[in-house]
Amino acid sequence: MASISTAIDAPGAFQDKTQMEFGKDIDRVDSNEVRTTSTESLDPAAEKKLLLKLDLFFVPIIMLVYLTCFLDRTNIGNVKVAGMPEDIGASPQEFSTAVSIFYATYVAFEPPWTIMMKWMTPRILLTSLCVVWSIATVFSGFITSIGGLYAARLVLGACEAGLFPALNLYLTMVYKREEQAKRVSYLFVCTAIAGAFGGLLAYALLKMDGIAGYEGWRWVYIIEGIFSILIAPIIWFGLPNDPSNAYFLNEEEKHMMKIRAAQRAQYMGSDEFSWEEVRIALKDPKLYLSGLIQFCQDILLYGFSTFLPSIIVSMGYSKIEAQYLSIPVYIFGGLCFLSVAYISDRLCIRGPFVILTNIPGILGYILMLCPTSNGVKFFGTFLCAVSVYNGPGLNLTWLNVNVAPHYRRATAIGVQLSIGNTAGIVAGQIYRTDPYVLGNSFSVGALGLAQLLVVIKWFYIRRCNEQKRRIENGEIADNRKVKTGDWELDFKYHL
C-alpha cells in the first residue's frame, strides 16, 4: 500500500488566511473551501506512480482525439497540392478565404465552449463535438463548389473550437501547476504528429485517385473523417467527468486524488459558476499580454502546419516529395517541445524558454527568405519547427498555471485562445502564392514582436510577485482590488 502520512491539528486551526505548506510541489489550500482537522501529504514515490497511471490512461486518449482534430483541420493543405482548388473551380483567393473562414467560427465559439464544459460535462461536450466535426469532414469529400467548402469549414471551426481549450482545462483538473507543461506539450506534439501522419496518410490516400470515380483528395477527407468518428466512443468511455473517481483508479488511488485536490483547492476553486470570476479574468492584464503573444506564435503554427507541403513545393520539390519530406520536420519540432516542456516543468520557468525557442525560428525563416540553396531552405524548416510548437505551447501553459480558480482560468483560456487563433485568419491570407515571401516575412516579424511581448509580460509578472512579497512583509499597504485566487499573497506566479 502506498505510504500516506497524516498530521492531526486541533479543531479550528484553519482560518481564512491560514497558509498550509506541503512543499514546493503543492499549492495552498483555501480554507474557505476546506474545513478539516487533518492534512495529509503523499509519499513522493506513491504519487509518482499515480501520475504514471494517470498518464497511461488519460494522455493517449487526449492525444488521439486532438490528433484527429488537427488532422481534419489541416488536411486542406494536403488536398491543395493534390488539385482540389482546380476540381471545385476555386481561385487562389477563394481558396485562401476557405482556409481563413474556419477561424471565424473557431474564434467565436472558443470562450463559450470552455466556460460551459463543467456544466455540460467533459464527456458530453467533447464526444458531441467530435461526432459533428467528423461528419463535416466526411462531407467535405463530396463538395463540388467553393460554397460547399466554405460551409464545411465554418461547421468544422465551430465544433473544433471547443476541443483544445476544453482539453487544456481538463488537464488542469488532473494535474498540478508544476506538472502541466509536459502534458500540454503532448497536445502540441499531436499537431506535429498530425502534420507528419497527415503527410504520410495523404501520400497513401492520394494513390486512391479514380477509385469509385472519386479524386484522391476526396478520399483524404472521407477516410480521415470516418477515422475521427471512431474516436467518439473512446472519448465517451475514456474521459470521466470526474478524473478523481476514474474507473481505472483503486480506492487508495482515489483517496490520493482527493488529497491532491485538497492541496490544489486554491487553484481549482468552487464548482459553482460565478460571473464575478469571469469579470476578474477579463480585467487581468496577464490575459491580454498572453493573448497577443499567442497571436504572434499562432501565425507560425497555422501558417507552417497548414502550408508546409506548399512551402516545400516552392523550394523545387515535387508534390509527392513534399508530402513525405514534411514528416521529419514535424517530428523534430514535436520532440523539441517534449524536451523543453520537461525542463520547464522541472524549473517552473516559462517565459525565458519561449524567448530561447523563438531564436531558431527567426534564423529558420531568414534562411528561407535569403537566396540560399533548396537544401539550406529545407534545413530552415527544421529550425522553424522548434518555434512553431514551443512558442504557443509554453505560452499557453504560462497562462494555465498563473490563473486561478477554475472559472477564472476557463475564461482566460478561452479568451486567450480566441485572440491567438485569429492568427489563423491572417495565415490563410499571407500564404497565397509561392515562394511565399510575404508569409515567411510576416512570420519572422511576428516572432520578433512576440519576443518583445514576452519580455513585457515577464517583467509584469515579476512585479506582481514582488508586490505580493512586500505586502506580506508589511513593507507597503495592501491596495489590491482583487485578493482571491491567483491574486492571493501566497500564490506565486511562474516566471
Side-chain angles (χ1 to χ4, degrees):
M1 178 174 178
S3 172
I4 302 178
S5 60
T6 305
I8 306 297
D9 297 322
F14 288 91
Q15 302 300 326
D16 285 344
K17 295 301 180 181
T18 298
Q19 297 178 13
M20 305 190 308
E21 298 294 335
F22 294 98
K24 67 178 183 179
D25 291 336
I26 298 173
D27 300 315
R28 174 187 178 274
V29 175
D30 184 354
S31 59
N32 290 325
E33 298 296 329
V34 179
R35 291 292 189 270
T36 179
T37 59
S38 67
T39 62
E40 299 177 79
S41 58
L42 299 175
D43 172 58
E47 188 170 22
K48 186 176 181 180
K49 184 178 179 181
L50 173 64
L51 282 174
L52 178 61
K53 191 170 186 179
L54 292 171
D55 285 345
L56 287 174
F57 280 87
F58 284 141
V59 170
I61 297 173
I62 289 173
M63 290 185 68
L64 186 61
V65 64
Y66 193 61
L67 169 65
T68 59
C69 164
F70 208 79
L71 200 61
D72 292 343
R73 181 192 316 178
T74 59
N75 55 19
I76 193 170
N78 299 113
V79 300
K80 178 188 178 185
V81 299
M84 179 202 193
E86 294 79 10
D87 288 342
I88 64 173
S91 67
Q93 183 175 356
E94 288 175 329
F95 193 81
S96 294
T97 301
V99 173
S100 297
I101 204 172
F102 168 91
Y103 297 96
T105 48
Y106 191 94
V107 168
F109 280 86
E110 275 183 310
W113 284 138
T114 312
I115 294 173
M116 290 168 60
M117 188 184 79
K118 261 195 174 182
W119 172 69
M120 290 187 65
T121 73
R123 176 177 287 167
I124 292 176
L125 176 66
L126 294 173
T127 305
S128 302
L129 293 178
C130 181
V131 170
V132 178
W133 91 59
S134 300
I135 293 173
T137 301
V138 172
F139 279 113
S140 296
F142 299 95
I143 60 175
T144 57
S145 66
I146 188 63
L149 182 59
Y150 288 162
R153 296 284 291 176
L154 286 170
V155 173
L156 199 64
C159 295
E160 291 197 3
L163 183 67
F164 188 71
L167 289 178
N168 265 279
L169 199 58
Y170 194 85
L171 289 175
T172 69
M173 296 166 61
V174 180
Y175 299 100
K176 296 178 182 178
R177 297 170 67 205
E178 55 275 12
E179 298 166 353
Q180 287 183 30
K182 185 165 70 172
R183 277 77 191 185
V184 171
S185 75
Y186 297 148
L187 293 178
F188 279 89
V189 165
C190 287
T191 68
I193 296 174
F197 182 64
L200 185 63
L201 185 60
Y203 177 76
L205 294 178
L206 288 175
K207 292 184 177 296
M208 296 177 65
D209 188 51
I211 295 180
Y214 293 130
E215 294 89 345
W217 64 264
R218 295 187 184 276
W219 285 112
V220 172
Y221 277 125
I222 294 169
I223 299 300
E224 291 183 2
I226 292 173
F227 178 73
S228 296
I229 292 176
L230 298 178
I231 303 302
I234 299 177
I235 300 173
W236 180 267
F237 294 106
L239 293 182
N241 292 327
D242 181 6
S244 64
N245 286 310
Y247 62 94
F248 56 83
L249 298 175
N250 59 38
E251 291 305 314
E252 179 188 347
E253 290 165 339
K254 289 180 180 179
H255 180 60
M256 294 172 67
M257 289 293 286
K258 290 179 181 179
I259 296 173
R260 283 169 56 87
Q263 294 168 348
R264 301 163 61 247
Q266 179 194 37
Y267 182 58
M268 291 308 298
S270 172
D271 287 336
E272 297 297 323
F273 175 75
S274 168
W275 281 111
E276 177 64 14
E277 296 296 346
V278 174
R279 184 189 66 80
I280 293 173
L282 293 176
K283 295 177 68 174
D284 190 346
K286 298 195 301 295
L287 166 59
Y288 298 102
L289 285 170
S290 181
L292 290 174
I293 295 169
Q294 198 74 7
F295 173 84
C296 294
Q297 302 287 169
D298 281 353
I299 291 286
L300 280 69
L301 179 63
Y302 294 125
F304 193 86
S305 60
T306 303
F307 294 101
L308 181 59
S310 299
I311 293 171
I312 295 176
V313 168
S314 73
M315 297 176 185
Y317 299 95
S318 71
K319 294 179 179 179
I320 296 298
E321 287 175 330
Q323 299 291 356
Y324 63 76
L325 283 176
S326 62
I327 296 172
V329 180
Y330 289 123
I331 293 176
F332 178 75
L335 291 175
C336 286
F337 187 21
L338 279 176
S339 302
V340 174
Y342 175 79
I343 300 172
S344 176
D345 270 348
R346 289 293 297 271
L347 301 178
C348 289
I349 294 175
R350 316 298 179 183
F353 283 110
V354 178
I355 292 176
L356 288 174
T357 54
N358 276 344
I359 294 174
I362 293 172
L363 295 176
Y365 280 108
I366 290 175
L367 288 179
M368 288 195 291
L369 287 167
C370 290
T372 56
S373 67
N374 287 337
V376 172
K377 291 181 186 294
F378 183 60
F379 172 71
T381 64
F382 284 86
L383 297 179
C384 292
V386 177
S387 303
V388 164
Y389 300 112
N390 274 286
L394 291 173
N395 181 58
L396 179 59
T397 303
W398 201 9
L399 182 73
N400 284 356
V401 301
N402 282 339
V403 180
H406 175 86
Y407 279 106
R408 196 181 304 179
R409 183 166 57 256
T411 304
I413 291 174
V415 174
Q416 187 248 38
L417 288 174
S418 284
I419 296 172
N421 284 322
T422 55
I425 300 174
V426 178
Q429 301 305 310
I430 59 179
Y431 281 96
R432 286 190 176 184
T433 57
D434 59 26
Y436 303 108
V437 174
L438 175 61
N440 292 334
S441 300
F442 206 99
S443 295
V444 74
L447 276 177
L449 179 58
Q451 298 290 71
L452 176 62
L453 291 169
V454 171
V455 171
I456 294 173
K457 182 182 176 183
W458 188 87
F459 275 106
Y460 172 75
I461 290 178
R462 191 181 73 162
R463 177 177 172 271
C464 291
N465 278 339
E466 178 63 14
Q467 181 188 35
K468 290 181 181 181
R469 185 194 65 79
R470 295 182 66 191
I471 292 173
E472 192 170 26
N473 292 339
E475 298 176 19
I476 60 174
D478 187 356
N479 296 319
R480 296 171 302 145
K481 293 182 179 180
V482 179
K483 301 179 181 181
T484 59
D486 60 271
W487 290 101
E488 293 192 32
L489 295 181
D490 57 345
F491 190 107
K492 185 177 181 181
Y493 295 120
H494 288 189
L495 296 172

